[in-house]
Amino acid sequence: NGVEAPKVLQPKSAPHPVIVFLGFLEYPPNRDAVEFFGGRIWPSVLDTFPQARFQVIGKGRPVPLKSMKNVEFRRYVDDLASLYKSATTLVPPIRAGSGIKNKILEAMAHGVPVVATSLAVEGIGARVGQHYLVAGTPEAFGAQVRKVLSTPELAQSIGMTGREFVQREFDWTRAIAELLKTYESVLKR
């Protein structure tokens, strides 16, 4: 797995907090994640940040939520870099499924702080509290999101250390260079 991290990050552009979820909405674990966040976490975020927006990006039917206040479903985004520029945090509250989620690596590469379940970041190898924040219950997840939204220094720190981690461990340029070294060593035999 790998991502292409932008060379330079653009300054954030949203006038209000933007919480983003990315994923194919016909995949049951993604639908469950949106239902979980939208139904059990989002209301507590809105109580503290009434101007916040929850953007759900991905193909598929919108997930019905009890409260659709400040929730936007977008099937397609032309430019993910612009999306990340406006994102305050990425939330992958995945509770089922497996595998490295490239959407998390991409967000981290763009300096977007990630608040996730431990399952969502499984296999990435990043450090909790340094490269991302983790939560398992709705209460803890809401608290972590509110902490990111209310503490710009924390959001900046998590975003930048996450970016540095992805650049070091998952950048395509590095991955390709290592693959070429492997090929060269095999060819020299």
Side-chain angles (χ1 to χ4, degrees), residues 15-189:
H16 44 71
V18 177
I19 293 97
V20 173
F21 175 88
L22 284 166
F24 178 56
L25 296 179
E26 297 303 323
Y27 181 54
N30 286 345
R31 287 190 78 76
D32 173 75
V34 172
E35 288 172 359
F36 177 65
F37 186 84
R40 300 189 57 200
I41 300 163
W42 180 237
S44 73
V45 173
L46 272 180
D47 285 346
T48 308
F49 296 93
Q51 300 304 314
R53 302 287 184 267
F54 178 34
Q55 291 187 354
V56 181
I57 314 297
K59 291 182 182 179
R61 297 168 287 126
V63 178
L65 302 173
K66 280 191 250 181
S67 171
M68 295 295 285
K69 182 177 180 192
N70 297 357
V71 177
E72 178 184 358
F73 285 88
R74 296 169 62 190
R75 292 178 54 83
Y76 181 76
V77 175
D78 289 324
D79 180 16
L80 280 176
S82 294
L83 173 72
Y84 292 129
K85 181 179 170 184
S86 68
T88 310
T89 187
L90 178 83
V91 292
I94 304 297
R95 301 187 301 167
S98 63
I100 292 179
K101 286 70 174 180
N102 278 343
K103 59 191 163 227
I104 295 171
L105 298 176
E106 289 171 353
M108 292 170 82
H110 282 83
V112 177
V114 174
V115 178
T117 58
S118 57
L119 181 61
V121 293
E122 193 172 80
I124 290 176
R127 290 194 181 115
V128 176
Q130 182 179 355
H131 303 122
Y132 65 92
L133 298 176
V134 71
T137 66
E139 298 76 22
F141 210 106
Q144 294 288 47
V145 170
R146 289 190 302 275
K147 187 170 18 172
V148 167
L149 300 184
S150 64
T151 317
E153 311 80 41
L154 174 67
Q156 174 79 12
S157 174
I158 295 288
M160 288 302 100
T161 57
R163 175 178 162 77
E164 291 163 4
F165 170 78
V166 168
Q167 286 176 313
R168 186 175 60 252
E169 300 296 326
F170 291 97
D171 183 73
W172 280 124
T173 305
R174 183 203 54 80
I176 290 169
E178 288 193 22
L179 184 60
L180 288 174
K181 281 174 38 182
T182 302
Y183 286 152
E184 287 173 4
S185 71
V186 169
L187 292 173
K188 288 180 182 177
R189 291 183 187 170

